[in-house]
Amino acid sequence: MGVVLGSLAIVISFSALWFTVEAVRRVDVHGDGMVRPHVRALKSRIAETNARMSELDRRLTQLEDRIVTTRMESRAARDLAEETRSIRSGLQRSRAAMKGTQAYHA
Protein backbone atom coordinates (compact mmCIF):
# COMPACT_ATOMS: atom_id res chain seq x y z
CA MET A 1 0.00 0.00 0.00
CA GLY A 2 2.88 2.39 0.76
CA VAL A 3 4.38 1.79 -2.66
CA VAL A 4 1.08 2.65 -4.35
CA LEU A 5 0.63 5.80 -2.28
CA GLY A 6 4.27 6.79 -2.84
CA SER A 7 3.95 6.33 -6.62
CA LEU A 8 0.68 8.25 -6.61
CA ALA A 9 2.34 11.06 -4.64
CA ILE A 10 5.23 11.22 -7.14
CA VAL A 11 2.80 11.38 -10.08
CA ILE A 12 0.76 14.11 -8.38
CA SER A 13 3.88 16.12 -7.53
CA PHE A 14 5.21 15.86 -11.12
CA SER A 15 1.83 16.90 -12.53
CA ALA A 16 1.71 19.86 -10.10
CA LEU A 17 5.22 20.81 -11.17
CA TRP A 18 4.22 20.58 -14.84
CA PHE A 19 1.13 22.75 -14.26
CA THR A 20 3.25 25.30 -12.40
CA VAL A 21 5.80 25.45 -15.22
CA GLU A 22 3.03 25.95 -17.79
CA ALA A 23 1.46 28.72 -15.70
CA VAL A 24 4.82 30.48 -15.35
CA ARG A 25 5.40 30.22 -19.13
CA ARG A 26 2.03 31.78 -19.85
CA VAL A 27 2.57 34.58 -17.36
CA ASP A 28 6.08 35.16 -18.71
CA VAL A 29 4.85 35.36 -22.32
CA HIS A 30 2.04 37.67 -21.28
CA GLY A 31 4.45 39.75 -19.19
CA ASP A 32 6.91 40.00 -22.08
CA GLY A 33 4.13 41.24 -24.30
CA MET A 34 3.36 43.98 -21.80
CA VAL A 35 6.98 44.90 -21.15
CA ARG A 36 8.37 44.79 -24.69
CA PRO A 37 6.74 48.05 -25.92
CA HIS A 38 8.16 49.87 -22.92
CA VAL A 39 11.57 48.31 -23.48
CA ARG A 40 11.43 49.30 -27.17
CA ALA A 41 10.58 52.88 -26.20
CA LEU A 42 13.44 52.94 -23.71
CA LYS A 43 15.84 51.48 -26.28
CA SER A 44 14.86 54.11 -28.83
CA ARG A 45 15.31 56.89 -26.27
CA ILE A 46 18.70 55.49 -25.27
CA ALA A 47 19.70 55.35 -28.95
CA GLU A 48 18.60 58.98 -29.41
CA THR A 49 20.50 60.01 -26.30
CA ASN A 50 23.63 58.20 -27.50
CA ALA A 51 23.35 59.90 -30.89
CA ARG A 52 22.97 63.30 -29.24
CA MET A 53 25.91 62.58 -26.93
CA SER A 54 28.05 61.61 -29.91
CA GLU A 55 27.07 64.79 -31.73
CA LEU A 56 27.80 66.90 -28.64
CA ASP A 57 31.15 65.16 -28.19
CA ARG A 58 32.04 65.88 -31.82
CA ARG A 59 31.01 69.53 -31.45
CA LEU A 60 32.95 69.82 -28.18
CA THR A 61 36.06 68.47 -29.89
CA GLN A 62 35.64 71.02 -32.68
CA LEU A 63 35.17 73.79 -30.13
CA GLU A 64 38.30 72.73 -28.24
CA ASP A 65 40.26 72.76 -31.50
CA ARG A 66 38.95 76.25 -32.29
CA ILE A 67 39.87 77.51 -28.81
CA VAL A 68 43.38 76.10 -29.11
CA THR A 69 43.73 77.66 -32.57
CA THR A 70 42.41 80.99 -31.30
CA ARG A 71 44.87 80.95 -28.40
CA MET A 72 47.72 80.13 -30.74
CA GLU A 73 46.62 82.91 -33.11
CA SER A 74 46.32 85.29 -30.16
CA ARG A 75 49.85 84.44 -29.04
CA ALA A 76 51.12 84.79 -32.59
CA ALA A 77 49.34 88.15 -32.92
CA ARG A 78 50.80 89.28 -29.61
CA ASP A 79 54.28 88.20 -30.71
CA LEU A 80 53.75 89.86 -34.08
CA ALA A 81 52.63 93.09 -32.41
CA GLU A 82 55.72 93.02 -30.20
CA GLU A 83 57.97 92.44 -33.21
CA THR A 84 56.21 95.22 -35.10
CA ARG A 85 56.76 97.60 -32.16
CA SER A 86 60.43 96.71 -31.98
CA ILE A 87 60.84 97.14 -35.77
CA ARG A 88 59.06 100.51 -35.64
CA SER A 89 61.20 101.69 -32.76
CA GLY A 90 64.28 100.54 -34.67
CA LEU A 91 63.08 102.42 -37.75
CA GLN A 92 62.44 105.55 -35.68
CA ARG A 93 65.94 105.30 -34.23
CA SER A 94 67.34 104.84 -37.72
CA ARG A 95 65.38 107.85 -38.99
CA ALA A 96 66.56 109.90 -36.08
CA ALA A 97 70.11 108.82 -36.74
CA MET A 98 69.73 109.61 -40.44
CA LYS A 99 68.24 113.02 -39.70
CA GLY A 100 71.21 113.80 -37.57
CA THR A 101 73.63 112.83 -40.29
CA GLN A 102 71.61 114.62 -42.92
CA ALA A 103 71.72 117.75 -40.83
CA TYR A 104 75.50 117.59 -40.70
CA HIS A 105 75.75 117.01 -44.44
CA ALA A 106 73.24 119.58 -45.42
Side-chain angles (χ1 to χ4, degrees):
M1 182 71 144
V3 173
V4 172
L5 288 176
S7 343
L8 187 61
I10 288 176
V11 169
I12 290 173
S13 65
F14 279 135
S15 61
L17 184 64
W18 180 74
F19 282 125
T20 305
V21 168
E22 284 298 316
V24 168
R25 280 187 194 160
R26 288 182 184 168
V27 168
D28 192 34
V29 168
H30 180 67
D32 282 347
M34 292 177 66
V35 171
R36 281 185 184 163
H38 298 293
V39 171
R40 272 188 239 130
L42 286 174
K43 283 183 179 179
S44 68
R45 287 182 183 169
I46 288 172
E48 285 178 20
T49 303
N50 287 339
R52 286 181 184 170
M53 293 288 285
S54 297
E55 175 66 20
L56 288 174
D57 186 45
R58 185 185 61 80
R59 289 174 59 189
L60 181 62
T61 303
Q62 287 178 348
L63 186 60
E64 287 174 346
D65 291 342
R66 286 182 185 172
I67 288 173
V68 168
T69 304
T70 303
R71 284 184 180 170
M72 290 173 63
E73 288 173 355
S74 173
R75 288 180 189 155
R78 201 174 317 126
D79 293 342
L80 184 62
E82 189 176 320
E83 284 183 37
T84 305
R85 270 188 242 114
S86 67
I87 290 171
R88 283 188 180 154
S89 66
L91 284 173
Q92 287 173 353
R93 280 183 271 143
S94 296
R95 282 186 187 157
M98 291 294 269
K99 284 183 182 178
T101 57
Q102 287 177 354
Y104 294 128
H105 292 302

